Amino acid sequence: MIRTGTGGIMKIGIIGAGNIGSNAAKLFVKAGHQVAISNSRGGDSLNDLVEELGDNAESASVEAAIEFGDVIFISIPLGKYQTLPTNGFEGKIVIDSNNYYPDRDGIIPELENGSTTSSELLVNHLPGASVVKAFNTIWFEHLKTKGNTDLPLSERRAIFIAGDDSEAKEIVSRLIEGIGFAAVDTGFLAEGGKLQQPGSAIYNKDITAQEAADLIGYEAFGK
């Protein structure tokens, strides 16, 4: 289904300032949200990005970004997820934009045999967090350029989401809509995470929300 809703200004802590994290930060700030962004290098490495983002953005340590955010956006290589702090995520919504690439991340047996998903690994590492898989199926250039708030939801570029917490998914959906895309819900983390993994039928597909809903067999927006 295509999820809908309206929401207000939020504080978003971003961990990872690569192509997805930095472009998400730009879009969130443009939509009026406040952002604290961090990366593994810290310090001066974020100065140019924060200056470009303007007054609603600040650089932060990973721990400070977690404390800052109502929503935490994680965009780091999956193989490094265990380097994340385990404290401070209680009651937070975590957007997981990670993907499993064995050549980069190393072999993770439970992902190879399909017994779990990458997002479920993150859930186990971050007690008390409500994890929503999102932003992992979109190329960063499309994230940068394809958002359009003037279009009806059914005609916007789709961003797929999955999660076990319905309220958290509603909030993430509103964030996605606020930056000009439409959220298409693939279900719970177990099945939805598998639908969104690299190589799947919906991974990195430049399709509208209506086309996406038709593709995965869900009732489409407006029907």
Side-chain angles (χ1 to χ4, degrees):
M1 62 183 292
I2 302 172
R3 307 190 67 88
T4 65
T6 57
I9 303 307
M10 302 200 75
K11 291 184 175 181
I12 304 172
I14 297 180
I15 302 174
N19 287 327
I20 292 292
S22 61
N23 281 296
K26 292 173 185 177
L27 292 170
F28 290 143
V29 167
K30 183 179 179 181
H33 302 293
Q34 298 177 21
V35 167
I37 189 164
S38 64
N39 64 9
S40 59
R41 293 175 293 165
D44 293 342
S45 67
L46 293 169
N47 287 350
D48 290 345
L49 175 59
V50 169
E51 183 177 356
E52 179 183 353
L53 291 172
D55 292 341
N56 277 352
E58 61 186 73
S59 61
S61 66
V62 170
E63 291 78 8
I66 295 167
E67 183 177 358
F68 174 88
D70 305 306
V71 174
I72 314 300
F73 188 106
I74 296 178
S75 187
I76 62 174
L78 177 65
K80 297 182 179 179
Y81 82 93
Q82 290 180 316
T83 67
L84 293 168
T86 57
N87 297 321
F89 287 94
E90 296 81 2
K92 306 270 189 175
I93 296 171
V94 171
I95 297 175
D96 172 24
S97 71
N98 301 323
N99 285 309
Y100 173 48
Y101 299 113
D103 290 345
R104 180 196 65 187
D105 301 316
I107 297 296
I108 302 177
E110 53 266 55
L111 297 183
E112 290 289 321
N113 63 28
S115 61
T116 191
T117 63
S118 58
S119 292
E120 290 173 293
L121 292 179
L122 196 62
V123 168
N124 292 333
H125 186 70
L126 306 178
S130 294
V131 175
V132 178
K133 188 79 168 180
F135 291 87
N136 67 300
T137 61
I138 185 168
W139 184 34
F140 77 92
E141 289 288 355
H142 288 177
L143 182 61
K144 184 192 301 185
T145 62
K146 294 280 187 174
N148 187 345
T149 56
D150 293 330
L151 292 175
L153 288 176
S154 62
E155 297 177 19
R156 295 184 188 183
R157 171 57 153 92
I159 290 182
F160 294 94
I161 66 171
D164 298 337
D165 182 326
S166 294
E167 183 178 358
K169 284 199 285 188
E170 290 289 353
I171 290 170
V172 173
S173 296
R174 292 196 293 268
L175 287 174
I176 289 170
E177 291 167 13
I179 60 174
F181 296 89
V184 178
D185 190 345
T186 62
F188 296 112
L189 286 177
E191 66 266 27
K194 290 176 181 177
L195 280 173
Q196 292 177 214
Q197 66 187 358
S200 70
I202 64 175
Y203 184 75
N204 198 23
K205 298 296 185 184
D206 183 13
I207 54 178
T208 67
Q210 182 72 67
E211 292 167 337
D214 292 342
L215 179 64
I216 61 177
Y218 279 23
E219 183 179 350
F221 179 80
K223 289 187 177 180

